[in-house]
Amino acid sequence: MSSTSLPHSVASPRSRLGPRRLAAWLVARATAPATSSWVVIAFVLVHVMLWTAILTNLKAAQDVHMDVAEAYAWGSRLLLGYGKHPPLSGWIAGLWFTVFPVRDWATYALAMAMAGGGLVAIWFASLKVVDRRRAFFVVVMVALYPIFNFKGFKYNADLVQLLTLPLLFLAYLHAFEKRSVASGVWLGLAGAVALMTKYWVLTMIGAIGIAALLHPERLRFLASPAPWVAIGTMLVAMIPHLVWLWKVDFVAVTYAGDVYTLSDRGRAAELVSGYVGHNLALLALPVALAALVLAWPPRFAFRNWQRGPNPGVNVGQALNVWLVQAIVAVGPPLGGLAFTIYMKTDWGISLFFLVPLGLVAIPALRLRSVMLPRLAAVWLVLSLITLAASPWIARREMAANPNGVTGYGARSQLAAQLTQAWHARFGSAWPLVAGYSEMNTPMTFYSPDHPRPYTVPYSAEETWGSGLSSLDDLKREGFIGVCDTTDNRIAACEAWMAKEAPGAEPLVMTTQRFFHGQAGPAIVWKVYIQGPGR
């Protein structure tokens, strides 16, 4: 037998696993009814794991943000409210840390889990509006939105809305389509869950209500039981929290009014302008990347736009997307100007997740299959580059701002020192810590004893304590009071300690963080140790 007749062991070009075959496989699986949801879930899991690692590296030189520590503290006791906000963000944190260790990386994993859950909800909401090809494109666009990755490091009530608001909108689209009692129940429950996150959600609930009234098919929807069952269900589900709110004299509403109401209309206009600019800048990245993918190669760019019917878009549901997104984009800034509100840029992080869906749902847009793997490749390359660069970025940021007290103050180091001081004196677990929220909740998070926080009021008008502890608890169990000498409220903090713990043992402690040879700020803390029953 000649050697030419022997079978070749080398695979034929068609059988090789190359970029084109991988892209074709992704398109086939992402658009098939039997596999598309599993592909999306797998994509989301990879996104969550990648960005948990990235954020852990990026924030390695810092302690967790005060909001994260506060949410952990709230989760130590399942209350119906925590002074500043409704309870859901605390409940989720409490449940999370019964499974995961109290470590920095676990907080970033929690934040990314909220973002990942939101991506899955956006996928199912997108399927109510567009076909599977477009829906997958939307999910990847949202994954590129900085709120769902780089800017999503800070777990708090704002971030939880990345999950609850997509779920609320999904329930609305379902109720608008089905118009049944069951769909109304789901919409009402979704509204209650969202409201239990933060009262700011009323902006989205109001936008959904206005969109339903403006929609051409409003009479069919309003004549069905769905909207009325939804309203009733939401009110019934909110009763326990509303009872709590009444018992505490509407403290959470008082907090919002006292902290975010301005008297200077010019300052309010400046903040509204910053809010708009900030959120437009964040949206620019996913929109620009998607536009580049759609426009490549340039000679085919105009073929992506054609007039005529588009079976890949449900125009009736797309109109809901456009209406709701337009209302929540325009309404809050106008409200901030009208009522002179202190508009925080963070308030917008949950309100613009519909922009990718609204753009992809434009009927004239013809989305070719090749666009899916291209955008997914952009997401993967950017994520991997950021992962590789994240240790260098962390070092560079600290070198650029070595004296940033908020970012690089060694509160975790102080928590370890205070735990040792309490154990040495009393031989028991440290029960309570008193101070402003920026100081006491990090002690709760980082001390192995996880002392309950008591928030020292800055003025007599402050009444929005978390409810986790009281003055009687401090006197009965003992506590450690902490005042930060770099804080402009140091005099008020010291006055409170002198009044409430005149016999406390005063100490002065200094902490300083070192990261890869770079020194952070040296912070002097005034500490007051008050023993039990004194």
Side-chain angles (χ1 to χ4, degrees):
M1 179 182 291
S2 73
S3 61
T4 57
S5 65
L6 293 173
H8 292 285
S9 60
V10 179
S12 65
R14 288 190 177 185
S15 66
R16 293 188 187 129
L17 183 61
R20 290 186 178 180
R21 289 184 64 82
L22 187 60
W25 178 90
L26 177 62
V27 171
R29 297 298 185 274
T31 57
T35 57
S36 57
S37 293
W38 293 110
V39 169
V40 169
I41 291 171
F43 171 82
V44 168
L45 288 174
V46 173
H47 179 83
V48 168
M49 290 187 289
L50 266 177
W51 278 93
T52 295
I54 291 169
L55 292 174
T56 301
N57 289 340
L58 287 175
K59 301 299 178 180
Q62 305 177 25
D63 291 332
V64 299
H65 192 275
M66 185 273 288
D67 286 359
V68 180
E70 185 175 58
Y72 170 79
W74 290 350
S76 64
R77 294 180 66 185
L78 300 183
L79 305 179
L80 289 172
Y82 295 103
K84 293 181 180 179
H85 296 303
L88 187 63
S89 60
W91 290 357
I92 293 173
L95 179 62
W96 182 265
F97 287 107
T98 62
V99 178
F100 291 90
V102 186
R103 298 288 186 271
D104 291 19
W105 68 263
T107 70
Y108 304 125
L110 173 57
M112 284 297 100
M114 295 297 102
L119 287 172
V120 174
I122 289 168
W123 159 256
F124 286 108
S126 298
L127 291 180
K128 299 284 186 182
V129 183
V130 295
D131 58 24
R132 294 175 189 276
R133 178 189 304 176
R134 291 168 182 260
F136 185 79
F137 195 85
V138 168
V139 169
V140 182
M141 273 189 75
V142 177
L144 287 165
Y145 183 26
I147 295 302
F148 283 77
N149 48 70
F150 183 80
K151 290 283 288 182
F153 73 93
K154 184 172 59 177
Y155 174 83
N156 58 13
D158 291 317
L159 195 76
V160 175
Q161 292 174 82
L162 296 185
L163 172 60
T164 58
L165 292 193
L167 287 174
L168 172 61
F169 189 72
L170 169 61
Y172 168 63
L173 293 180
H174 179 69
F176 197 89
E177 174 189 0
K178 300 297 183 182
R179 301 188 298 276
S180 64
V181 172
S183 66
V185 170
W186 285 115
L187 177 57
L189 291 175
V193 169
L195 265 178
M196 291 286 276
T197 307
K198 194 174 182 179
Y199 302 137
W200 177 249
V201 167
L202 286 169
T203 56
M204 179 62 77
I205 293 175
I208 287 173
I210 295 172
L213 293 174
L214 294 176
H215 199 283
E217 297 182 25
R218 57 185 173 273
L219 293 181
R220 293 179 64 191
F221 181 61
L222 295 176
S224 75
W228 315 111
V229 170
I231 293 171
T233 301
M234 185 174 69
L235 290 175
V236 170
M238 289 294 295
I239 286 175
H241 177 70
L242 294 175
V243 170
W244 170 86
L245 194 61
W246 178 75
K247 286 183 177 179
V248 298
D249 199 22
F250 300 93
V251 64
V253 178
T254 302
Y255 164 76
D258 289 351
V259 174
Y260 297 113
T261 300
L262 295 173
S263 57
D264 186 345
R265 190 167 295 278
R267 175 60 175 157
E270 180 184 344
L271 289 167
V272 167
S273 176
Y275 169 91
V276 172
H278 180 80
N279 286 290
L280 286 176
L282 291 175
L283 283 168
L285 179 64
V287 173
L289 291 174
L292 287 173
V293 167
L294 290 169
W296 188 262
R299 65 180 183 274
F300 294 138
F302 290 107
R303 298 184 186 179
N304 296 326
W305 299 92
Q306 299 177 21
R307 294 182 178 180
N310 190 335
V313 177
N314 181 333
V315 178
Q317 291 286 42
L319 184 57
N320 273 317
V321 176
W322 300 327
L323 285 170
V324 170
Q325 185 59 86
I327 293 166
V328 296
V330 175
L334 292 180
L337 287 174
F339 298 103
T340 59
I341 301 297
Y342 188 105
M343 290 288 291
K344 292 181 64 177
T345 56
D346 280 359
W347 291 356
I349 71 173
S350 62
L351 296 184
F352 296 95
F353 66 91
L354 288 174
V355 169
L357 177 56
L359 294 174
V360 172
I362 297 174
L365 175 64
R366 297 309 194 256
L367 189 69
R368 292 177 291 146
S369 296
V370 70
M371 304 303 182
L372 272 64
R374 285 182 182 176
L375 191 64
V378 170
W379 162 83
L380 181 60
V381 169
L382 290 179
S383 297
L384 291 177
I385 289 174
T386 308
L387 177 63
S390 55
W392 176 84
I393 295 172
R395 294 193 296 271
R396 186 71 187 89
E397 284 188 347
M398 187 171 183
N401 186 29
N403 295 316
V405 173
T406 301
Y408 301 109
R411 289 171 172 80
S412 56
Q413 186 183 121
L414 178 66
Q417 294 179 11
L418 294 181
T419 303
Q420 293 175 1
W422 184 273
H423 288 183
R425 286 161 176 78
F426 306 110
S428 60
W430 175 17
L432 292 154
V433 56
Y436 297 131
S437 295
E438 295 85 348
M439 281 83 81
N440 63 9
T441 53
M443 302 302 106
T444 301
F445 183 86
Y446 283 109
S447 170
D449 292 340
H450 307 300
R452 303 193 313 279
Y454 178 87
T455 300
V456 171
Y458 176 53
S459 65
E461 289 76 23
E462 286 192 21
T463 58
W464 48 80
S466 65
L468 298 173
S469 57
S470 66
L471 274 174
D472 289 338
D473 295 332
L474 297 181
K475 294 176 182 179
R476 183 177 63 257
E477 301 177 51
F479 69 96
I480 297 180
V482 182
C483 295
D484 181 357
T485 59
T486 65
D487 193 294
N488 59 10
R489 299 166 295 178
I490 179 64
C493 184
E494 290 179 307
W496 187 92
M497 298 295 174
K499 175 185 176 183
E500 301 297 341
E505 175 188 354
L507 296 174
V508 175
M509 292 184 175
T510 303
T511 61
Q512 188 172 25
R513 179 188 302 277
F514 291 88
F515 182 73
H516 289 278
Q518 177 69 50
I523 301 179
V524 177
W525 308 87
K526 291 192 174 181
V527 175
Y528 303 82
I529 302 179
Q530 177 72 51
R534 296 186 182 181

